[in-house]
Amino acid sequence: MDDTLDSAIAATIAPVTHDLGGFKVHRTLPSKQRTMVGPFIFFDQMGPARLSVGDGIDVRPHPHINLATVTYLFAGAIDHRDSLGTFQRIEPGAVNLMTAGCGISHSERSPAEERAAGPSLDGIQTWLALPQAKEEVDPGFEHTAAGALPVAEGDGVRLQLIMGEGFGLASPVTQHSPTIYAAITMSPGSALLIDHPADERGLYLIEGDATIDGEPLSQQHMTLLRPGILPLLTSQVGARLMLCGGAPMDGERHVWWNFVSSRRDRINEAKRAWRAGEFALPPDDHDEFIPLPEVPLTVSYP
């Protein structure tokens, strides 16, 4: 925590890093310091990694409720299948938005042709809490190709707007509550004014170097910006970053494994339903699934 009131930085969240056998995942949300930044309640950096020939990621079918997942890749490819019957391959620069609502299950696997060459894996997986009025909406899936996402370029900075409005751009991706989400690439010696007015904003430094109003950022850390301040982001050697945030969520959220809700009893019901086999599985990926864990890695009860 930065206690200097004139600093643009309110806090810095260190990652919890998991080695998943061949690649690492750096998780900054949820944390003990902060559960959410705007609607973002889960933030994972996957990789970067190059897996061995024949290997790949195989995230077996698993459930979600009361949230939306957003997948964004820098390298590699992932095949998404869900219980709605969706099949969609995501590749770098595109967005997969899956709205779980009242309940959905899905799997994520490396395509066969990627495995044959030794898959690359480099991307960001996030979950967004849904407003209470939308927690139980019908589940849905939306894919937006890379070419459909707006981009601003100039003075050595490239900003691709994934969700929301800002920097003179508007993304076509559905937002369930006011959201800002952008991928930023900076050339050596470049600068960008973070002039988005969202009350809650986080900058995640993937690689390279960056400072905010002269204060250095740490790689794989989430740097939270104070509201009302429009700071200057600079880089000396070049950098890749993500900007995320939005309006504060309408109340606390509980997280248990893959379940997010404003109500603990709703999570308990989802646990019961998954254990009892009451969730539908992807029709073309239903021969296996992830069992309900006794002790999940992700738990955040306010």
Side-chain angles (χ1 to χ4, degrees):
M1 177 71 73
D2 192 315
D3 295 322
T4 307
L5 291 180
D6 59 358
S7 169
I9 298 176
T12 300
I13 300 173
V16 175
T17 300
H18 301 287
D19 190 329
L20 300 185
F23 67 97
K24 292 182 178 180
V25 171
H26 307 284
R27 181 168 303 164
T28 48
L29 291 176
S31 74
K32 292 181 179 179
Q33 289 174 263
R34 188 77 168 261
T35 303
M36 289 183 283
V37 179
F40 290 83
I41 197 165
F42 179 95
F43 194 103
D44 261 12
Q45 178 189 349
M46 307 175 291
R50 185 68 180 262
L51 305 182
S52 301
V53 172
D55 286 344
I57 65 165
D58 282 294
V59 182
R60 296 168 290 160
H62 58 280
H64 292 288
I65 61 164
N66 293 188
L67 58 80
T69 67
V70 183
T71 305
Y72 182 88
L73 298 180
F74 301 108
I78 295 175
D79 283 344
H80 164 97
R81 295 175 174 85
D82 64 42
S83 51
L84 301 176
T86 307
F87 170 80
Q88 178 63 58
R89 179 163 299 173
I90 183 172
E91 294 176 321
V95 175
N96 275 3
L97 171 70
M98 185 184 75
T99 301
C102 62
I104 198 169
S105 71
H106 74 129
S107 66
E108 294 169 299
R109 299 181 186 269
S110 297
E113 53 269 39
E114 290 273 316
R115 296 172 190 266
S120 295
L121 180 64
D122 188 6
I124 304 291
Q125 180 80 58
T126 61
W127 300 349
L128 280 64
L130 296 178
Q132 292 183 30
K134 296 184 178 181
E135 283 187 316
E136 298 295 335
V137 298
D138 291 338
F141 180 85
E142 175 183 313
H143 174 81
T144 305
L149 294 174
V151 173
E153 290 187 88
D155 299 324
V157 177
R158 183 182 190 273
L159 184 147
Q160 184 185 42
L161 190 65
I162 299 169
M163 297 183 74
E165 298 181 1
F167 305 95
L169 308 172
S171 170
V173 177
T174 297
Q175 52 178 333
H176 297 287
S177 63
T179 305
I180 179 66
Y181 192 29
I184 302 168
T185 303
M186 306 185 73
S187 299
S190 60
L192 174 68
L193 184 68
I194 305 297
D195 60 353
H196 195 281
D199 285 342
E200 298 187 359
R201 297 164 297 169
L203 278 169
Y204 182 84
L205 180 59
I206 299 167
E207 66 178 11
D209 82 297
T211 64
I212 200 80
D213 280 354
E215 297 184 68
L217 308 186
S218 298
Q219 291 184 9
Q220 281 75 55
H221 286 58
M222 179 73 73
T223 300
L224 306 181
L225 305 181
R226 293 191 187 279
I229 295 179
L230 305 181
L232 186 66
L233 177 68
T234 60
S235 178
Q236 293 301 309
V237 302
R240 285 196 298 149
L241 308 96
M242 304 299 285
L243 170 67
C244 66
M249 192 46 59
D250 57 349
E252 295 179 324
R253 291 298 187 273
H254 308 288
V255 183
W256 195 94
W257 191 41
N258 299 313
F259 303 133
V260 169
S261 182
S262 61
R263 299 159 290 155
R264 287 188 71 162
D265 59 347
R266 180 66 180 92
I267 289 179
N268 288 333
E269 167 56 22
K271 290 160 64 174
R272 184 207 63 77
W274 182 250
R275 188 184 288 114
E278 296 175 6
F279 275 79
L281 296 176
D284 54 351
D285 192 355
H286 59 269
D287 293 334
E288 57 179 354
F289 59 87
I290 300 177
L292 191 79
E294 291 296 327
V295 181
L297 289 177
T298 306
V299 178
S300 176
Y301 281 143

